[in-house]
């Protein structure tokens, strides 16, 4: 017998193992039959136990195999929280502004390390030359290429592949989260007014409305008086009266009269305030932006909101890509946890991987996301959401796991914008300039400088011509950091209003080299 056999015999008999080993050598004729019978007994016992455990192991493997293919989700939440924080987003644009529109070495190194973490250890071998080219041009590793060089801004530029559909979905999600949140009625009204007066016209997207039928609500403490124009779930109208006996508003619409509960009345409509200051500035400015461009100057809250809003739209576009099977190899497995809480339609989509169901699969994902926003505080809701998304859209969909955090983070900055009196005045300036049908950048900037004594950011949203959508983007948003605009205007006054190097001009060059509207630095 070898050491392995002796040690096995000793372990079977436990504390009497060494005694049995000694008897085996002293009296093998009588000890061997006893030990052999004991070994056969333990062998049968262990084989029976292994058969029972194999069933359990098989079930666990079937449930957890598809999770093992998701190699990024383990650290994605931590990385996403870090890179979407206020500090990181503000530092990024200020770093570019300090380096003439290019990324600093420290920021570029941090993004390179982040890309290495996302793409694995083979990153430098496969993308090393590409990184060197980007470093020479000073671009970010995640930068979105502009459709043409005529739409380039030195600080930050981001593309929108589908402004109409995904921006509408993002608006509905944020509106739904606003209604489902713990905000007061005054905050909700200001946020709805911000969408109507500024954000929807800025993105040139029709106002999307989300109806929450069946919600319990208290009667308004201060009802809207008669004659006030309002925005509702069914369009814009004018309040005729409020009936306290049943808690309904009587609204006069263009198509007739309607009776709406207070929750269906989103906000009152503020008229565009006329100003002689705006007219004076515009008469002195001869430069104009193209009709396809929207211009806005805002505070840090607006910058953070637009960055997170673009990220939300981008992730919805990725969800659509995953749903159609183009975003990565879709590994669809039907775990019990996901199917146990899925609707019959979701079950069919979980089991069917055909690409022609891409739209239905994307709609099913939106339904799951609405459920997460509605019950994000429920126990285990995040786990069920991840299970459904992984089964529905594949193992590459880990970027969608933090959508609830992204929506809440975006709403926080939307609320800050809506509650900021200075920014509300900036929106009034925007509405006055937008009402004329064309923006004059110098006049707009000079009027904003009289309102703000804090850091100011400039934003230009440009629709891309069909002939130039070679990168698949319908629109580009440019962002620039100006700092204290009031101090800059004092310097400009010494030059009789001549714009400095930080001024944005919207000019376009045709293919023949002639000038039409092109965005450039002067």
């Amino acid at each position: 017998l070898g050491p392995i056999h002796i040690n096995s015999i000793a372990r079977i008999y436990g504390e009497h193992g060494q005694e049995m080993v000694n008897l085996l050598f002293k009296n093998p004729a009588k000890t061997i039959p006893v030990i052999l019978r004991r070994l056969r007994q333990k062998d049968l016992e262990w084989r029976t136990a292994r058969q029972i455990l194999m069933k359990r192991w098989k079930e666990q493997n079937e449930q957890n195999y598809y999770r093992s293919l998701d190699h990024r989700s383990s650290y994605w939440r931590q990385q996403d929280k870090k890179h979407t924080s206020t500090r990181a987003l503000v530092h990024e644009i200020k770093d570019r502004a300090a380096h003439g529109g290019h990324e600093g070495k420290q920021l570029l190194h941090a993004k390179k390390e982040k890309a290495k973490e996302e793409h694995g250890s083979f990153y430098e071998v496969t993308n090393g030359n590409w990184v060197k080219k980007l470093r020479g041009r000073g671009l970010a590793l995640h930068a979105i290429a502009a459709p043409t060089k005529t739409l380039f801004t030195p600080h930050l530029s981001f593309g929108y592949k589908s402004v109409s559909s995904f921006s509408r979905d993002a608006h509905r999600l944020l509106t739904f989260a606003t209604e489902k949140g713990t905000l007061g009625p005054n905050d909700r009204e200001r946020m709805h007014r911000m969408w109507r007066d500024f954000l929807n016209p800025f993105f040139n997207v029709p106002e999307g409305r989300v109806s929450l039928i069946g919600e319990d609500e208290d009667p308004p403490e201060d009802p809207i008086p008669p004659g006030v124009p309002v925005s509702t779930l069914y369009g814009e109208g004018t309040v005729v009266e409020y009936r306290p006996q049943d808690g309904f508003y009587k609204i006069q619409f263009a198509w007739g009269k309607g009776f709406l509960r207070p929750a269906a009345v989103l906000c009152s409509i503020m008229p565009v305030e006329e100003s002689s200051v705006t007219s004076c500035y515009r008469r002195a400015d001869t430069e104009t932006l193209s009709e396809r461009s929207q211009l806005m100057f805002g505070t840090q809250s607006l910058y953070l909101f637009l960055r997170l809003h673009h990220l939300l739209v981008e992730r919805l576009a990725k969800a659509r890509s995953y749903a159609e099977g183009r975003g990565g190899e879709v590994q669809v497995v039907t775990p019990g946890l996901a199917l146990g809480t899925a609707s019959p339609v979701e079950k069919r989509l979980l089991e069917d991987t055909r690409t022609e169901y891409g739209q239905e699969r994307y709609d099913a994902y939106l339904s799951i996301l609405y459920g997460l926003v509605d019950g994000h505080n429920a126990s285990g809701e995040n786990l069920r959401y991840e299970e459904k998304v992984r089964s529905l859209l594949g193992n590459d969909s880990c970027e969608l796991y933090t959508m609830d955090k992204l929506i809440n983070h975006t709403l926080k900055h939307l609320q800050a914008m809506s509650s900021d009196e200075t920014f509300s005045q900036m929106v009034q300036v925007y509405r006055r300039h937008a009402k004329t049908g064309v923006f004059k950048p110098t006049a707009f900037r000079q009027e904003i400088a009289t309102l703000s004594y804090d850091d100011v950011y400039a934003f230009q949203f440009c629709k891309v011509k069909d002939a130039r959508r070679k990168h698949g983007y319908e629109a580009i948003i440019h962002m620039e950091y100006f700092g204290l605009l009031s101090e800059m205007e004092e310097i400009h006054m010494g030059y009789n209003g001549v714009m400095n190097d930080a001024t944005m001009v919207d000019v376009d060059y045709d293919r023949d080299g002639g000038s039409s509207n092109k965005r450039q630095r002067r």
Side-chain angles (χ1 to χ4, degrees), residues 62-126:
E62 290 177 351
Q63 292 181 2
N64 297 321
Y65 170 72
Y66 67 99
R67 292 186 188 178
S68 66
L69 302 177
D70 187 2
H71 64 282
R72 297 173 58 191
S73 61
S74 58
Y75 64 88
W76 172 255
R77 287 184 178 274
Q78 180 181 358
Q79 292 295 322
D80 185 61
K81 181 179 179 180
K82 176 182 177 181
H83 294 290
T84 58
S85 64
T86 298
R87 179 179 179 181
L89 295 176
V90 173
H91 175 69
E92 182 178 3
I93 192 170
K94 288 186 176 181
D95 179 80
R96 281 180 170 269
H99 293 85
H102 301 281
E103 288 182 324
K105 293 183 179 179
Q106 183 177 0
L107 187 61
L108 187 63
H109 176 74
K111 289 188 175 181
K112 179 180 177 181
E113 294 299 321
K114 176 179 178 290
K116 288 169 63 177
E117 290 179 358
E118 291 182 357
H119 296 285
S121 59
F122 61 90
Y123 172 75
E124 287 189 290
V125 177
T126 56

Side-chain angles (χ1 to χ4, degrees), residues 17-252:
Q18 192 59 41
E19 180 180 355
M20 293 300 298
V21 171
N22 295 333
L23 289 174
L24 178 62
F25 286 99
K26 292 180 180 180
N27 193 357
K30 293 185 178 181
T31 306
I32 288 178
V34 176
I35 294 177
L36 184 59
R37 186 168 56 252
R38 177 66 171 173
L39 288 174
R40 289 174 176 172
Q41 179 185 356
K42 297 299 294 184
D43 178 65
L44 180 61
E45 179 183 341
W46 288 341
R47 289 181 183 275
T48 303
R50 186 175 66 175
Q51 291 179 355
I52 298 174
L53 291 175
M54 282 294 291
K55 294 181 180 179
R56 298 179 183 176
W57 292 339
K58 184 178 180 181
E59 293 175 359
Q60 292 294 325
N61 288 336
E62 290 177 351
Q63 292 181 2
N64 297 321
Y65 170 72
Y66 67 99
R67 292 186 188 178
S68 66
L69 302 177
D70 187 2
H71 64 282
R72 297 173 58 191
S73 61
S74 58
Y75 64 88
W76 172 255
R77 287 184 178 274
Q78 180 181 358
Q79 292 295 322
D80 185 61
K81 181 179 179 180
K82 176 182 177 181
H83 294 290
T84 58
S85 64
T86 298
R87 179 179 179 181
L89 295 176
V90 173
H91 175 69
E92 182 178 3
I93 192 170
K94 288 186 176 181
D95 179 80
R96 281 180 170 269
H99 293 85
H102 301 281
E103 288 182 324
K105 293 183 179 179
Q106 183 177 0
L107 187 61
L108 187 63
H109 176 74
K111 289 188 175 181
K112 179 180 177 181
E113 294 299 321
K114 176 179 178 290
K116 288 169 63 177
E117 290 179 358
E118 291 182 357
H119 296 285
S121 59
F122 61 90
Y123 172 75
E124 287 189 290
V125 177
T126 56
N127 293 336
N129 295 331
W130 180 65
V131 172
K132 292 178 182 178
K133 293 180 181 179
L134 288 179
R135 179 177 297 179
R137 292 183 293 174
L139 299 178
L141 296 183
H142 71 292
I144 300 176
T148 63
K149 294 181 180 180
T150 62
L151 293 176
F152 176 73
T153 186
H155 290 180
L156 286 174
S157 296
F158 297 97
Y160 287 85
K161 292 186 177 181
S162 179
V163 181
S164 56
S165 60
F166 297 121
S167 294
R168 182 177 63 250
D169 292 339
H171 176 209
R172 290 175 175 174
L173 279 169
L174 293 173
T175 303
F176 182 81
T178 300
E179 296 296 334
K180 285 294 184 178
T182 58
L183 300 173
N186 293 332
D187 288 331
R188 289 200 296 267
E189 181 180 3
R190 284 193 293 264
M191 293 167 73
H192 284 303
R193 186 179 294 115
M194 185 63 62
W195 280 109
R196 182 201 174 274
D197 293 347
F198 167 57
L199 292 175
N200 286 328
F202 183 79
F203 288 111
N204 194 21
V205 174
E207 185 175 359
R209 309 175 191 274
V210 179
S211 177
L212 302 178
I213 304 230
E215 293 290 319
D216 296 330
E217 56 178 319
D218 298 327
E221 298 179 359
D222 188 13
I224 301 175
V228 176
V230 292
S231 175
T232 72
L233 292 175
Y234 306 98
E236 297 182 356
T238 305
V239 176
V240 177
E241 63 174 341
Y242 174 71
R243 307 194 309 182
Q245 61 272 19
D246 54 11
F248 275 74
Y249 281 104
K250 184 179 181 180
I251 308 294
Q252 178 66 52

Side-chain angles (χ1 to χ4, degrees), residues 425-522:
Q425 296 176 8
M426 292 180 175
V427 171
Q428 286 296 329
V429 176
Y430 165 82
R431 296 181 70 192
R432 286 198 292 268
H433 284 264
K435 186 178 180 181
T436 64
V438 63
F439 288 95
K440 294 189 174 183
T442 305
F444 199 166
R445 177 178 53 79
Q446 289 175 344
E447 189 170 0
I448 290 294
T450 63
L451 301 176
S452 176
Y453 296 93
D454 202 350
D455 288 347
V456 174
Y457 298 77
F459 309 92
Q460 186 175 359
F461 185 78
C462 309
K463 284 296 185 83
V464 181
K465 293 181 179 179
D466 294 338
R468 295 181 177 179
R469 293 179 184 176
K470 60 182 181 181
H471 293 279
Y473 297 110
E474 291 185 2
I476 303 290
I477 185 169
H478 303 289
M479 304 181 182
E480 298 191 26
Y481 171 71
F482 277 91
L484 297 177
L485 197 56
S486 57
E487 294 182 358
M488 293 177 59
E489 282 304 311
E490 293 178 1
I491 299 175
H492 288 196
M493 293 300 294
Y495 295 95
N496 296 323
V498 178
M499 301 175 70
N500 72 350
D501 291 342
T503 302
M504 292 187 301
V505 182
D506 198 4
V507 198
D508 240 307
Y509 286 96
D510 10 29
R511 300 181 180 273
D512 301 333
S515 69
S516 58
N517 292 324
K518 174 185 177 185
R519 178 183 174 81
Q520 62 179 2
R521 309 292 274 184
R522 296 200 313 170

